[in-house]
Every structure is written in C-alpha cells, then in structure tokens.
Amino acid sequence: MATHTSMAQGSNATMRNSLEQRLGIIHYVSTREHGWSGQTRTRYTDFQVREITKDGEVVHLKDFYNNAREMARATSQNSNTPSGTKAPSQPVNPHGQVVGSESVSASREPATSATRTEGNGSPTDGISEADRAALVQLVGQTAADDLIAFYEKIQQDSKTRSRTLGDVKIPAIGDKARRSQVHGEIRRIFNGKIETTTDSSDDSIKATAARVGGRQRGDRNPNNGGRNGRQNAAAGSNGPYLHFSLYKENKDTMDALNHMAKTLRIHPKSFGAAGTKDRRAVTVQRVSVKGRSPSALISVNERISNIKIGDFVYAQDPIKLNDHDGNEFAIVLKNCVFSGTENLNFEETLGVAKSTVESALAQVTQHGFINYYGTQRFGTHQIGTQEIGMKILKGDFAGAANALLAYSPDLLQNASENQGQQTRGVHRDDISRARACSAFLDNNDAKAALELLPPRCHVERTMIQHLSRSPADYLGALMSINRSMRTMYGHAYQSLVWNFVASKRWERFGSKVINGDLVLVKSQSAPARGTDDTDMDLVWEDEIPGAHNSGLVAHAVTEDDLQDGKYSIYDVVLPTPGWDVTYPPNEIGEFYVEFMGRPENGGLNPYDMRRRQRDFSFPGSYRKLMGKLKRVPTASVQAYSNDLEQLVPTDLDIIQSRRAVKTAKRDTPHDDTAMKWQNFAKNVKRDELEEAKARARQLESQTPASPVRISDTWIQTSVDGSNKRVKVEKHADDTTNDVSSDAMRVDSKTESGSTVVGDEDTAKPGPVETTTATQGEQNADTAPGWSIVTAIKEQPASDDAQSKAHEAPPPPPHGSDSGSVVAAVESNASIPRKHADNVETATTEVAVSPSNANELGTSEAVADLSSEAVGKVEPAPAVPVEPTDAKKIAVILRFALDTSQYATMVIRELQGTPSANEST
C-alpha cells in the first residue's frame, strides 16, 4: 500500500501519474521532446520555501542566538546590535521593516514612538491619521478628540498616579459587538496606556489611564500572558507586536507554533502568520506575537529541535492571513531520468538534460501552467481527504468517521512478516497508526488504541476518545475534531471538483477565452465578503483566495469583451462549488452538474451546498485557471554521486558557515602553531622516505640487481582491514631448510605508510598453516576492507614453482567475507584459528629490487636487499578496486509563485508526460 505522499514524491513517475489522473490532474500546457522525472524530496533540505513579504522581500533567517546570555554577549561586543536582536528606533511599516538606518536593542533601550518630540520640545500624540479616522468612526469626533487629549495628558504626566488623571466618558453604545471593537481599538491605538470599562447601567464606556506596572483590566488577549513582567517588555517600543523570522525543518507551521507555545507557556493563537508552509521541507516565514520581548522567546532555539527564530523587530500590527506576496522555492530534484537517453553515455545524457530543462523553463515562463490543486491537498492515507469530504457533504457521517480511521490490512501483514524490522518505504508511525485503528475497529479496545497511536495522529485520537464514550455519535465525533481540520475535508472535495473542471475546460478550449468564461472585476456596489471566524480558521490550511475577494465579483465574458480582446486566459477563473459563487453560463457550468451528480462523486448538486452544520456549509471560492511564475526563474543541471549531498545550502548552513569562518579567524594563532607542528612531522617522514630511496638507488648503481628469495613466515593478525601482521619465522639463507626461531615482530602499517615494529615472545617451531602470496601482493594491497596474508615458505627455485604461482587463486573481491584472513599457528594458541579452512597454499618466487624496497614498508627490507638473488616471476594478480558511485543527474530549480499555487504543479509542467521507461 502506497500512501498519497509516497506516490507523489517518490521516484516512480508512473505511480505519480496514476495518482494525478485520479485527482483530475491530467493535461499539460506545453509539449516536451524529452520527458523527465526526478525525486523531489530525497532529503527534506532539498525542498526550501521562503516567504515573500508584501514589500517584495524574500524572507531569510539572517542570524539567531540560542539564549539570552548569548544574545546579550553579542550585543555588548558590537555597539551596532546584530540583526537577529534589534528593535528599530525609527518608525516601522506594518510589516516590521526598519525605515531608518539606526537601531538599538529593544531589551536595553526601547524607543517610544508615542513620546517623540518635535523641534520645540512639545510632545506629539503619535497617532496616525488612519487611526484617528478609525477612532472618529467608532466613537464620534467629540469623544475621539477627548481621548487623544487625554492620551497626551497621560504622556506628559507619566509619573502621576492614574486615578488623579481623571477619565473620559464615551456615549452609550447598544451593540455589544461594536462595544467590543471599541475596547480593542482603544487599547491598540493608544498602546495600552488607556483602559476602558463598560457601565452596565447605561452601556456607556469609561476610559481611564492604565495602572502603571499592572495588567490592564479587560485585556483578555492571551498574547499578554507571561511571567516576570514579560508582557510589558515591548511597552513604549514602535509597536506592541514583535515580528520575527521562523526557520523550521521537517515541521508544518502549526506543529512548530504549537511546540513554541507549549515551551513558552502561551496560547498557540498568540502567534500570527500569513499562511502555512510545507512540512517535509526547510521553510522561512515571518511570525508575530504581541507583548513579548526577544529575550523571552529566544529560548526556543535551544529547547526545540529543527526550529530557529531571529531577526526581531517591533511593529504596530500583527501578521494576518495572506499578509504576504507569495513564496520563493529552491528545489533540488535528484536521480533525474530523461527519456530517449538510454543508449547515450553520461556526458551526452548530461547535455540532453541541460537543453531539455532550459527549453522547458522557457516554455513554462512564457505560457504558464494549469493551476491545479496539488496532490498534497488530498491527504497522505489510503482514503483521501476528498472522499471523506464527499461523505460529509452527503450526510454519511458514519462512513466519514470510519474512513478517517481506515487502515490497510496489508500494512499490518507486512509488518508482522518482517518481525519488527523497518518495512522499506513505510514510516514507523504509519504502522503504529494501523495497529491502533485495528485495535479500536476490530477489537473495540480504545485504551490499547490510544496507547499505540503516534503523537501526530491528533484526529484519530480525538475520534477514538469520543466514540469510546458515545459509540453511535458519529457527527459528534466529527465535530470534536479541530475546526480547521474538519473543514479541510470539504475543501478537499471542492478542490477535486475544480481540478476535473479545469481539465475539461483545457481539453475543450485550451488557452482560448470563450463566451461565458468568468473573470473577477471590481465593483463599487459589491459588499465586502465577511471574514468571520470560519474564514479565519483557514490560516492553518492552504490559502483560498476566493474566500477573501473583497470588492470583487464574477463577470461572465460577453461577445463584446471577446471582440475587444479585453481579457486573456490568465484572467479566467473557475469556482469551487459552494452556495455563494456564480457558475459559468456555458457548457463548463453544465459540467459541474454532470460531474458532481455521478454516484462515484457523491451524487451532489452544485447549486445545493448549504448544510445544517455551519462548518459543512461551504460558500465556495474562485481560483484562476492558469498560473504564471513570478520574477525570473532559474534552473541548473549538475552531476553528483551521493544522494545525501547538500547541493543548495539552507539559511542555517550559511549562518553556521559564517560563524565557523569567524571562529577560525579568532583562533588563527593557535591554528598556525598546530599547522606548523603538523607540517614538521610530515616533513620528517618525507625526508626519511627520500633517504631510504636514495640508499636503494645507490645500491642499485653499485651492484647489479638480482632476485632474492624471501623466506620469512608472516601471520595476519588484524580483522579490521589494516595490514597488521606478525613475523613468525625468519629464514636468512634460502638454501637451508632448517627453521630457525626468531623474535616475533609486529608490523603495523598505517595508511600514511609509517611502520611500527615491536618485539613479542619468541615463536616456537612447529607445523604452520600458511597462506602464501608474493611480497609484492602483500604491500600493494592498501585498500581498506581486505588484505593479503603472505607466508612464503622456502622451496627450490624451479619452473614448477612458478607454475604453481600462476595457479594460485586471485585475491578475494573487495568487501567479501574472506577479505581479512587469519592463519592459525598450531604451536601458538594465542592466535585464533578463525578462517583457517579458507587458507590456500602456494609457493612462488619474488623479484625484488632496491628501487621498490621502500614499498615493503620496513627499514629492514632495504637492508635485506643484497646482490645474491636469482630468478624472476610473473607479476601478481591485480587487486580489485570497488568502483565509486555512478554519476547521477540533479536539477536545481529556483522560482517564485503567488499564494495558493503549488510548486509541484510547476515541476510537473516542466517534466512533461512521463514515458514508459520512467517507471523505476
């Protein structure tokens, strides 16, 4: 069983294409001569997402500190506070960007915008024109003037007790919602310096000066909670909201913020974000929180893995849904395969890859792509979220609940057969989830199921807990799920319908604008779409632009519009089904009815989307048919060998690299000393080697080189692939058959070629089982993982001996079981007999000259090179070398998209239709 995620992100292009077909992702805008495919997330660091602010700035994590001490130390070392800790002293725009050029630490010297002075020294009120207008609209001109004058009085007499400053009375407001708005706006506009209370007798509002050092009455915002006065850390700064960059790895946005909230002991809704980012990726985005200081937040860098925050600034406003201008992506696709290159060598394939990617990028930049909802929209389990949404809209709540707890029996069977070993391609949590769901559905054992469930399975846990108390209350079980999650299932069904309608629209008319196509136009009379709490909950989902199209209405293209060429294909929108949208008045509108009415699609009516449950009553939205890349995209093709290579550095990599360089510069004197000593040691070894070579050359020039018989017996003692061995016996005279005892010597040859020789107990004579090879073989083998044991026994020189040498088996392949052989000496019990049965015996002669004596690894070898030697034999078999990893092709893409557009759809368009040979 392959989950949606594994199918969509794996290397099997055919499986991905099959999944996309089932989700309505069918057509391509451009054609490709060579289709290609690659793995999009071999590592989560291969998929990087950075938010783009409304000002067009790409958000990067520029710096961070692990704790307040580190931040304070860095601040004290540099009078210009690092970017990761500064609060601007100049005014900031709503997105927290510093307008001025100077800044000071917020924790040391906060600047108060409300107490800025003019040239004559009189304090200004610090209230913007927009806030003045909003105040007048809420409470009237007279009350607004009184409040502003009262605020100026508080600023001038900041040390006066609040009760002696008097108060301001705002006329009665009968609407409770409007009163709540007045309370909140007064707190915001006057930076918490004025607190308000409602007189229950006449519904009037009384404004008084806030108590110094105390929490304002009526301020129930969870952002202001904290200990040790942390909620007042931002008082008097350029705004009550602290903005910061959130860098996260392999976590979704909500998970990261929940971890931060738990660590900081505040409510998750204290944080504001413009949208969610991918989970299996490295992402950077801006986040806001009210009433906190950098020193109060910075501990998360030390306490939470895969999360870093930094680049703090204060601002007047929080970050809200859609407060950004899209996302920039840096994506590495590895193990790329290009069709039609099966018979080409690597260099030729690399050339085809470069030309194919360059051509594809030019086409997508010019023509765009169909703006499909990506596969991640539809869940990661066997039953997609769109199927659950369809059941909910049908009113089949029992079916929806069972679908949410569905699991694959094959997954459990495979896990059982593997006896606890990790099943390839299946996450451990998926197996635990399947066991938990099986325990509840098959055995009705809620306790066991809850114990087995992984922590990330919040929905399943909530469902099991509710159904264990009320077994038949399936609607209640669905309603117990987090609101944003339970509405996500309906949105997934809407997305499925939209994908199939978009495919139908492209199949019938392509890029041509037709009569009845819908476009969005501004309308002065159109009421702004409400942003009630149902819409605001969507902050934790993919953005749905149509739900927030304030002041825009759908307009059907007419014949006059077509003649004037007023609209292009990039203006055309399609609705997701709902009760508050307009359907195209042409055959595409009719296709909505046909498709949704099919039994396999729920038998639903697009014109009947209201439900008794508010959360399952969807208004619908509009989405552009075509998408285009923002800015100038880039693509590069490069060869690599290891899938674990980090081909594009993350922001964290860059910061750590910069710090390493800084540390290296600081520690330069110590490094120089160590380097000099290391160079000295290397020079000594090199000089000794050169001297040995010089002596060997001198001997060679004085006496003709003659073969010499080496009749020493060596025993291999290492099992780790090194050339450590023991000389058991030494025979100085090749014409003597007597075995003379000698001191046992340990020859440990290191990778650098140095030799350590030590004395051991004298070896006792006796029968010896040996493995023989040429001395040249023994010293030529330096590859780790296997070695050759040489024990050359004394034999008369003859052609028969040479023939035996040729018959000796070749050395074992690299990494084989017989790679490290130990010969057992029967007379020495301290040497194990392991692998003794695998020992082969052979006898040979070795031709040794002084010129290669240094390769033998010992100074004794040079001394033994005398002129009395005879004969020469054929060279030893070559040592097999394990080939390095074959070269692979990676494609690196950088591009930017608007909000709610899917990078996976851009990659799909770039790759084109997968060919039959891309199924591996």
Side-chain angles (χ1 to χ4, degrees):
M1 184 275 293
T3 65
H4 289 172
T5 297
S6 63
M7 291 175 68
Q9 298 175 2
S11 60
N12 193 316
T14 302
M15 290 184 64
R16 292 201 310 274
N17 185 60
S18 174
L19 173 63
E20 290 170 353
Q21 295 280 333
R22 296 200 303 271
L23 298 175
I25 305 171
I26 301 172
H27 297 295
Y28 297 83
V29 174
S30 305
T31 58
R32 303 280 176 271
E33 179 182 358
H34 296 279
W36 61 282
S37 63
Q39 294 177 347
T40 54
R41 306 187 203 220
T42 305
R43 308 177 68 198
Y44 60 78
T45 52
D46 290 338
F47 200 99
Q48 301 180 28
V49 187
R50 296 178 178 88
E51 192 173 78
I52 303 175
T53 67
K54 287 290 188 182
D55 297 330
E57 179 187 359
V58 178
V59 178
H60 287 267
L61 180 67
K62 301 180 180 67
D63 210 346
F64 72 93
Y65 297 101
N66 288 319
N67 50 61
R69 294 187 303 275
E70 185 177 315
M71 182 177 66
R73 183 167 57 252
T75 303
S76 63
Q77 291 175 354
N78 188 355
S79 57
N80 295 322
T81 306
S83 60
T85 62
K86 63 186 179 185
S89 61
Q90 301 294 330
V92 294
N93 64 24
H95 303 288
Q97 304 301 321
V98 182
V99 177
S101 59
E102 298 180 356
S103 63
V104 296
S105 173
S107 60
R108 296 180 60 187
E109 190 178 346
T112 306
S113 60
T115 59
R116 293 189 299 269
T117 58
E118 297 175 348
N120 58 7
S122 60
T124 64
D125 53 42
I127 307 301
S128 67
E129 291 299 326
D131 287 343
R132 285 174 180 268
L135 196 60
V136 170
Q137 185 177 3
L138 284 173
V139 300
Q141 185 67 53
T142 302
D145 292 341
D146 292 343
L147 286 170
I148 293 174
F150 185 53
Y151 180 61
E152 293 179 359
K153 183 179 180 180
I154 294 172
Q155 294 295 89
Q156 293 173 355
D157 303 328
S158 58
K159 295 184 179 180
T160 306
R161 294 176 64 87
S162 58
R163 66 181 62 180
T164 63
L165 294 174
D167 56 51
V168 173
K169 192 167 185 179
I170 301 173
I173 300 176
D175 185 14
K176 182 177 180 181
R178 188 182 174 192
R179 283 201 308 271
S180 299
Q181 186 179 6
V182 170
H183 289 304
E185 285 297 286
I186 289 177
R187 287 196 299 271
R188 181 187 66 81
I189 292 172
F190 298 109
N191 294 323
K193 298 293 184 181
I194 298 177
E195 64 178 18
T196 54
T197 56
T198 301
D199 189 342
S200 59
S201 62
D202 59 358
D203 290 335
S204 64
I205 297 176
K206 181 181 178 181
T208 59
R211 293 171 294 174
V212 178
R215 182 173 177 175
Q216 307 165 28
R217 288 177 294 171
D219 186 2
R220 300 176 183 174
N221 192 318
N223 297 302
N224 293 338
R227 302 188 318 182
N228 301 327
R230 290 179 184 173
Q231 66 271 21
N232 297 321
S237 67
N238 287 319
Y241 293 95
L242 180 65
H243 291 198
F244 57 90
S245 295
L246 169 63
Y247 170 99
K248 62 180 182 64
E249 297 180 349
N250 206 29
K251 293 180 184 290
D252 61 41
T253 303
M254 194 58 187
D255 185 34
L257 295 182
N258 279 334
H259 274 81
M260 291 175 60
K262 184 177 181 180
T263 301
L264 300 172
R265 297 184 179 180
I266 60 178
H267 198 281
K269 289 188 177 180
S270 301
F271 297 106
T276 58
K277 299 293 181 283
D278 298 70
R279 183 188 70 84
R280 186 166 172 75
V282 173
T283 70
V284 189
Q285 66 187 114
R286 295 296 284 177
V287 177
S288 67
V289 65
K290 186 177 180 182
R292 310 291 290 189
S293 67
S295 59
L297 299 181
I298 208 167
S299 62
V300 302
N301 289 337
E302 235 177 9
R303 300 172 63 183
I304 305 178
S305 62
N306 294 350
I307 288 179
K308 300 295 180 186
I309 62 173
D311 310 330
F312 299 97
V313 292
Y314 286 104
Q316 291 288 346
D317 301 309
I319 297 176
K320 298 179 181 178
L321 174 65
N322 286 328
D323 273 353
H324 66 134
D325 195 36
N327 298 288
E328 182 187 74
F329 298 86
I331 301 173
V332 179
L333 292 90
K334 294 179 177 176
N335 292 303
C336 294
V337 179
F338 293 79
S339 63
T341 61
E342 294 79 11
N343 299 322
L344 303 180
N345 60 36
F346 182 79
E347 295 302 327
E348 293 172 336
T349 302
L350 198 62
V352 171
K354 291 179 180 178
S355 60
T356 299
V357 172
E358 289 174 359
S359 173
L361 188 64
Q363 288 181 321
V364 173
T365 302
Q366 181 179 358
H367 303 298
F369 56 95
I370 303 175
N371 195 23
Y372 288 119
Y373 286 100
T375 54
Q376 60 265 46
R377 181 82 171 188
F378 304 97
T380 59
H381 296 301
Q382 188 178 26
I383 297 181
T385 53
Q386 77 280 2
E387 298 181 43
I388 299 171
M390 180 185 68
K391 293 179 183 295
I392 290 175
L393 291 173
K394 286 175 59 178
D396 182 9
F397 302 125
N402 288 327
L404 279 169
L405 298 176
Y407 65 95
S408 171
D410 294 338
L411 187 63
L412 291 182
Q413 182 178 354
N414 292 337
S416 177
E417 291 175 355
N418 292 335
Q419 296 180 352
Q421 296 182 358
Q422 182 71 25
T423 304
R424 184 175 182 181
V426 179
H427 197 278
R428 185 181 296 105
D429 283 355
D430 292 332
I431 299 175
S432 298
R433 177 192 176 276
R435 288 171 175 163
C437 293
S438 174
F440 181 73
L441 295 177
D442 301 337
N443 303 325
N444 197 27
D445 191 345
K447 182 178 179 181
L450 294 174
E451 291 177 352
L452 289 169
L453 268 179
R456 67 180 179 89
C457 297
H458 303 291
V459 172
E460 291 87 344
R461 184 174 301 278
T462 302
M463 294 277 293
I464 291 174
Q465 288 174 340
H466 184 91
L467 291 175
S468 64
R469 295 189 299 265
S470 305
D473 186 14
Y474 296 105
L475 175 59
L478 293 172
M479 297 302 292
S480 67
I481 301 172
N482 177 276
R483 190 178 201 179
S484 62
M485 289 296 297
R486 64 175 178 260
T487 56
M488 177 189 68
Y489 304 117
H491 291 310
Y493 177 79
Q494 291 176 302
S495 303
L496 178 77
V497 175
W498 192 97
N499 278 356
F500 276 98
V501 172
S503 292
K504 185 69 174 181
R505 169 63 178 78
W506 185 262
E507 175 188 324
R508 293 284 293 115
F509 306 106
S511 60
K512 179 183 178 181
V513 180
I514 63 170
N515 191 2
D517 275 340
L518 296 181
V519 295
L520 294 177
V521 297
K522 292 183 179 180
S523 175
Q524 299 296 332
S525 60
R529 283 286 305 272
T531 55
D532 58 14
D533 52 358
T534 301
D535 289 335
M536 295 306 294
D537 273 344
L538 298 178
V539 68
W540 307 126
E541 303 181 43
D542 293 316
E543 297 83 9
I544 303 178
H548 303 281
N549 285 322
S550 178
L552 297 176
V553 294
H555 165 72
V557 175
T558 64
E559 288 294 341
D560 292 339
D561 294 331
L562 294 176
Q563 292 178 2
D564 295 340
K566 194 172 182 180
Y567 302 107
S568 72
I569 191 64
Y570 302 105
D571 298 316
V572 175
V573 298
L574 292 173
T576 61
W579 54 263
D580 194 30
V581 295
T582 299
Y583 295 98
N586 52 25
E587 65 176 271
I588 300 303
E590 296 172 358
F591 183 73
Y592 278 90
V593 179
E594 175 194 343
F595 179 81
M596 294 177 61
R598 298 173 187 171
E600 64 270 21
N601 297 328
L604 300 172
N605 183 357
Y607 294 94
D608 181 21
M609 295 297 290
R610 289 187 181 272
R611 299 294 182 270
R612 293 179 59 185
Q613 297 79 22
R614 180 187 179 192
D615 293 339
F616 302 146
S617 186
F618 298 102
S621 61
Y622 296 100
R623 181 178 177 87
K624 286 192 173 184
L625 172 63
M626 299 293 295
K628 293 198 73 173
L629 300 178
K630 297 167 65 74
R631 306 185 177 186
V632 179
T634 62
S636 62
V637 177
Q638 71 179 67
Y640 76 102
S641 59
N642 189 341
D643 285 342
L644 298 182
E645 289 183 51
Q646 184 63 38
L647 302 181
V648 176
T650 66
D651 288 354
L652 186 61
D653 293 333
I654 295 172
I655 293 172
Q656 292 175 338
S657 176
R658 184 177 69 238
R659 291 182 176 181
V661 171
K662 186 177 180 180
T663 302
K665 289 181 178 179
R666 185 177 66 244
D667 298 339
T668 297
H670 303 286
D671 290 344
D672 286 346
T673 303
M675 186 66 69
K676 290 177 181 178
W677 174 254
Q678 186 177 7
N679 290 337
F680 171 76
K682 289 183 178 179
N683 291 338
V684 170
K685 294 179 182 179
R686 186 174 63 250
D687 292 343
E688 290 178 350
L689 184 60
E690 292 298 331
E691 290 177 3
K693 290 182 177 179
R695 289 196 300 269
R697 285 193 295 269
Q698 184 178 6
L699 289 174
E700 185 179 16
S701 62
Q702 294 175 355
T703 307
S706 300
V708 61
R709 294 197 53 80
I710 301 176
S711 53
D712 296 343
T713 301
W714 296 82
I715 301 301
Q716 184 76 16
T717 61
S718 70
V719 294
D720 58 356
S722 65
N723 288 337
K724 182 177 289 186
R725 54 185 183 164
V726 176
K727 182 183 290 185
V728 180
E729 298 182 16
K730 179 178 180 182
H731 309 282
D733 186 359
D734 62 344
T735 62
T736 304
N737 290 329
D738 295 336
V739 179
S740 61
S741 300
D742 192 10
M744 186 176 296
R745 305 176 64 85
V746 178
D747 181 4
S748 177
K749 185 174 181 180
T750 64
E751 292 181 2
S752 62
S754 61
T755 304
V756 179
V757 180
D759 294 333
E760 295 290 347
D761 296 334
T762 303
K764 299 178 181 180
V768 179
E769 294 180 17
T770 62
T771 296
T772 63
T774 65
Q775 186 75 18
E777 286 176 2
Q778 177 180 348
N779 293 280
D781 175 33
T782 58
W786 74 287
S787 59
I788 303 175
V789 177
T790 305
I792 302 178
K793 303 183 68 173
E794 175 189 2
Q795 294 288 341
S798 64
D799 294 337
D800 183 59
Q802 294 188 21
S803 66
K804 291 182 180 180
H806 291 295
E807 294 172 1
H814 180 80
S816 65
D817 292 339
S818 60
S820 186
V821 182
V822 178
V825 182
E826 293 181 353
S827 61
N828 192 339
S830 64
I831 301 178
R833 299 184 57 86
K834 185 176 182 181
H835 303 302
D837 295 336
N838 296 329
V839 174
E840 299 286 344
T841 303
T843 306
T844 186
E845 293 182 355
V846 185
V848 181
S849 64
S851 61
N852 66 5
N854 59 294
E855 297 179 1
L856 298 179
T858 64
S859 57
E860 182 185 73
V862 178
D864 288 341
L865 295 176
S866 59
S867 58
E868 41 295 17
V870 292
K872 185 177 181 181
V873 298
E874 295 295 329
V879 178
V881 179
E882 183 180 10
T884 58
D885 291 342
K887 287 186 178 180
K888 306 175 184 179
I889 297 178
V891 176
I892 301 174
L893 302 172
R894 295 181 184 272
F895 55 86
L897 295 175
D898 281 322
T899 59
S900 81
Q901 293 179 341
Y902 288 81
T904 52
M905 294 299 99
V906 176
I907 296 173
R908 175 184 179 273
E909 185 67 36
L910 288 170
Q911 293 177 337
T913 307
S915 60
N917 60 0
E918 292 175 355
S919 59
T920 58

